[in-house]
Amino acid sequence: MARPVSLLYRLYERRLLRELDKSVPVPRHVGVITDGNRRWAKEFGATTADGHRAGAEKIVEFLGWCDEIDVDIVTLYVLSKENLARSAEEVEVLIEIISDLVEKIAALNGVRVQLVGDLEILPPGLRARLEAATSEGDCQMRVNVAVGYGGRQEIVNAVKSLLRLRTDEGTDLETIISELSPQQISEHLYTKGQPDPDLIIRSSGEQRLSGFLMWQSAYSEFYFCEAYWPDFRRTDFLRAVRDYGLRQRRFGK
């Protein structure tokens, strides 16, 4: 059901790649909100499940594009806490599709999968399959898969983890408060030890974060694309990267 790529777009992609080759900075860490699967399916007269499957196929394709330009880390927002409140039928389909997707990603050469989210709220079957697909060791690209994810909950969990650690060390509350710093909280986030995302892409025309990486995105650059996620093209990705490379990042200064 994917729309064919025309010759003009292929030529345009080559032009964009040449521009990136001319010392345009490439983001080290890219976050992506894969939005629009259900609306894409409705537009085509397909089922919601078809939309989610098409979105999963696009993710695998997207990771190939990231690998082409040497992106180190990709964080995929595939299942929020709120998504789990959808109908039982849709959640069941999502669980199966996401499980298959993560296994496919883990099988890619040079890719390491890390789960990002509150795993305690996931259905046991999904959690078991996802955890089995995670990996350790050296890799060319780390792929964070955000499942059961909520940005506010991540910060709450990070603070709880920090407080638990410091109190277990015997530190009194007043000392914990006086020494509390952003760096300390960062060290307890799901993405601890990783650089914050340089670029966050959202498809489907929506211009909001929906709780995605709320702490880590403080100084990220954002790119919003009108295309629904299953229709997101390599051209759209290269445009986003070129746009990022042409911006002057200020980091709040």
Side-chain angles (χ1 to χ4, degrees), residues 32-36 39 62 65 199-208 222-240 247:
V32 59
I33 303 172
T34 60
D35 193 26
R39 280 170 285 167
F62 177 83
W65 303 335
L199 172 65
I200 293 179
I201 300 169
R202 180 167 187 157
S203 57
S204 86
E206 302 291 347
Q207 297 189 21
R208 59 179 184 272
F222 300 94
Y223 187 88
F224 300 104
C225 178
E226 292 296 323
Y228 296 139
W229 178 247
D231 275 340
F232 190 82
R233 303 160 303 187
R234 184 167 175 255
T235 303
D236 298 314
F237 173 64
L238 294 175
R239 280 174 175 165
R247 297 180 189 179

Side-chain angles (χ1 to χ4, degrees), residues 139-154:
C139 61
Q140 296 174 356
M141 182 192 301
R142 182 198 300 265
V143 178
N144 299 318
V145 182
V147 287
Y149 180 85
R152 290 179 175 177
Q153 191 62 48
E154 178 180 22

Side-chain angles (χ1 to χ4, degrees), residues 72-190:
D72 294 330
I73 304 170
V74 179
T75 300
L76 304 164
Y77 198 10
V78 297
L79 184 72
S80 69
K81 288 184 63 178
E82 291 75 18
N83 292 156
L84 290 169
R86 292 178 179 175
S87 70
E89 181 181 3
E90 183 174 355
V91 170
E92 183 178 356
V93 170
L94 273 170
I95 287 171
E96 187 65 28
I97 292 171
I98 291 170
S99 298
D100 290 343
L101 169 65
V102 172
E103 289 169 357
K104 286 181 182 178
I105 294 173
L108 295 174
N109 186 42
V111 170
R112 174 184 171 188
V113 174
Q114 178 171 324
L115 302 179
V116 176
D118 188 353
L119 303 185
E120 298 293 334
I121 68 172
L122 297 179
L126 172 61
R127 179 175 178 178
R129 287 186 66 182
L130 295 182
E131 289 182 331
T134 59
S135 55
E136 299 292 338
D138 296 335
C139 61
Q140 296 174 356
M141 182 192 301
R142 182 198 300 265
V143 178
N144 299 318
V145 182
V147 287
Y149 180 85
R152 290 179 175 177
Q153 191 62 48
E154 178 180 22
I155 297 170
V156 169
N157 289 350
V159 173
K160 286 181 178 179
S161 175
L162 172 60
L163 292 175
R164 190 175 295 114
L165 174 67
R166 297 302 305 278
T167 53
D168 287 348
E169 293 172 342
T171 309
D172 65 89
L173 182 58
E174 286 303 318
T175 300
I176 294 173
I177 293 172
S178 65
E179 294 179 353
L180 185 62
S181 68
Q183 180 59 35
Q184 287 181 329
I185 293 175
S186 293
E187 290 169 356
H188 290 264
L189 296 172
Y190 301 142

Side-chain angles (χ1 to χ4, degrees), residues 208-229:
R208 59 179 184 272
L209 278 179
S210 298
F212 182 55
L213 301 180
M214 293 172 61
W215 181 279
Q216 300 91 327
S217 65
Y219 301 115
S220 301
E221 299 295 325
F222 300 94
Y223 187 88
F224 300 104
C225 178
E226 292 296 323
Y228 296 139
W229 178 247

